[in-house]
Amino acid sequence: MNSLISKGTPSLHKAVMKHRYGKDPIFYPLRALSYALSHRELFWTVLKVACVGITVSIIILVILLVTALQPQAQAISSNLEWWAWLIAVFLVLFEAGLISVLLMSVSQSKAQTKVFTATMKIEGVWKEDMIEQSMAKDLNPMKKAFIVRILTLPLQIIPFIGGALYSAINATFIGWDHMDRYFDAIQLSPKLQRVEIFGHELSDCRALCNPATYDLDNDIARFGFFCGIVESAPIIGFVLGPVTNAIAAALFACDIEHSGGLVCLREEEAQDEETNYQASRGPLNALREKGEKALQFGESIANNENSDSQASRYLKKKARESIVSTLSKKT
């Protein structure tokens, strides 16, 4: 039984394939872009969010350039050196993006939930017992490793390189946030989420110091890294990125379902089967033990009377036959 379970269930750390679910998760965010363009329902949702987001961002950016650019440059250098203006421009861009994200958070959350569910339905994977993630859960500011993500957020000021560094540091937690829609859909417990991502249950604080969090073979980290890169793209990244990444998460979830479900669930099912198997064998083992003791007792009686007599041999033979017959019926 143990050998069958070990063969039927891939290990969380030593999967047969390099990627547990067949495909490299780093490509899902790119695939999501072409997927959205090829499906009208998804395309119009993304387009609406893009139009609203870009309009809001432009308005906020113009207001900040008029009202906040010069005061910030002057605060950096009273002589208004050229580098002070450059830093002030980066600060204004960062501030405009942050304000836009906050203002658009509700509409983006609705759009993300809509395209995630729609993608899984298009792929024929969405099931009746699955549930959509609530907006309250999605907009919860206390995201995974919230403090570290806030501390590293200023890296986004640096074009391209800053976004890559931010994505690398927070890759696992970014990926976890996006895949949280799928985990909520199948009602996966927080404990099993951590087992799926880290290999065993870890708190956010311990996970930050765990090598598995930054392992290049960690599928969630690979997925989260490129999601972070997409969202860090100048101007349109924070507008379109969250929505297209929701499509990417749905495509990832579809491949997980096609491969037989999450590894952590398969391992838990295998453990339950082993536990049930051992429990069912308990009464039989007890009966066998009693039979063996009865046989030994019968032999001892026969040996005490006359070990060489025909009656003794006959008694031992009948005792063995009776016990073997009883055990064979039970098994």
Side-chain angles (χ1 to χ4, degrees):
M1 182 70 180
N2 289 330
S3 61
L4 290 175
I5 292 174
S6 61
K7 290 179 182 178
T9 305
S11 170
L12 192 60
H13 301 289
K14 298 180 179 179
V16 175
M17 303 179 67
K18 182 177 181 181
H19 304 293
R20 283 179 287 170
Y21 305 108
K23 297 179 182 178
D24 190 346
I26 203 169
F27 295 113
Y28 285 113
L30 286 177
R31 183 184 166 196
L33 297 175
S34 60
Y35 194 89
L37 292 174
S38 60
H39 293 82
R40 179 176 297 181
E41 178 184 357
L42 302 178
F43 174 75
W44 284 113
T45 301
V46 173
L47 184 62
K48 289 176 184 177
V49 172
C51 291
V52 173
I54 292 174
T55 302
V56 171
S57 299
I58 291 175
I59 293 173
I60 293 173
L61 181 60
V62 170
I63 293 174
L64 289 178
L65 286 174
V66 172
T67 61
L69 180 61
Q70 183 172 347
Q72 290 186 87
Q74 199 161 15
I76 295 170
S77 173
S78 57
N79 296 326
L80 294 178
E81 303 287 346
W82 67 269
W83 51 266
W85 285 104
L86 183 62
I87 295 174
V89 168
F90 285 145
L91 287 174
V92 166
L93 290 174
F94 176 74
E95 292 159 359
L98 186 60
I99 294 172
S100 299
V101 168
L102 293 175
L103 291 177
M104 293 173 53
S105 57
V106 174
S107 60
Q108 274 189 340
S109 176
K110 290 181 178 179
Q112 285 176 288
T113 301
K114 182 177 180 179
V115 298
F116 178 87
T117 305
T119 301
M120 294 193 73
K121 287 181 178 178
I122 291 171
E123 294 295 308
V125 175
W126 187 264
K127 302 173 184 176
E128 292 183 358
D129 59 345
M130 289 183 173
I131 60 174
E132 293 184 346
Q133 187 181 61
S134 66
M135 186 179 296
K137 171 77 179 293
D138 186 37
L139 296 179
N140 180 12
M142 300 302 290
K143 296 286 187 180
K144 313 293 186 299
F146 176 74
I147 296 177
V148 175
R149 294 173 74 171
I150 288 297
L151 292 176
T152 55
L153 189 61
L155 289 172
Q156 298 276 24
I157 298 175
I158 308 172
F160 302 108
I161 296 177
L165 288 174
Y166 175 85
S167 300
I169 295 171
N170 299 285
T172 298
F173 299 103
I174 294 173
W176 190 356
D177 274 339
H178 285 293
M179 292 305 295
D180 205 30
R181 295 182 187 279
Y182 172 58
F183 295 155
D184 282 356
I186 62 174
Q187 303 175 58
L188 189 69
S189 68
K191 176 182 177 180
L192 285 180
Q193 290 185 33
R194 296 175 186 279
V195 171
E196 171 68 20
I197 293 169
F198 303 114
H200 52 283
E201 188 177 7
L202 288 175
S203 65
D204 287 355
C205 293
R206 289 179 60 196
L208 290 172
C209 303
N210 191 286
T213 306
Y214 310 99
D215 188 356
L216 293 178
D217 291 331
N218 185 326
D219 283 353
I220 299 296
R222 294 175 70 82
F223 176 68
F225 173 74
F226 214 83
C227 284
I229 292 292
V230 170
E231 293 177 9
S232 299
I235 302 175
I236 63 171
F238 66 89
V239 176
L240 291 177
V243 182
T244 59
N245 283 340
I247 298 174
L251 295 174
F252 192 3
C254 289
D255 284 340
I256 292 174
E257 288 291 311
H258 289 148
S259 68
L262 292 170
V263 171
C264 67
L265 289 178
R266 281 180 269 170
E267 290 187 337
E268 185 182 44
E269 289 174 0
Q271 291 174 359
D272 290 341
E273 288 179 7
E274 175 68 11
T275 301
N276 294 334
Y277 174 77
Q278 294 297 339
S280 66
R281 299 291 294 178
L284 184 59
N285 291 334
L287 179 61
R288 182 177 286 109
E289 185 178 350
K290 289 181 180 179
E292 291 173 353
K293 289 181 179 179
L295 178 60
Q296 293 173 1
F297 181 71
E299 289 179 343
S300 65
I301 293 176
N303 288 331
N304 289 336
E305 291 179 353
N306 187 353
S307 59
D308 296 327
S309 68
Q310 184 177 1
S312 173
R313 289 194 295 273
Y314 177 77
L315 180 59
K316 288 188 285 183
K317 180 181 177 182
K318 296 302 289 182
R320 289 193 187 96
E321 290 177 353
S322 177
I323 293 170
V324 170
S325 176
T326 302
L327 291 176
S328 65
K329 290 179 181 180
K330 295 293 183 181
T331 55

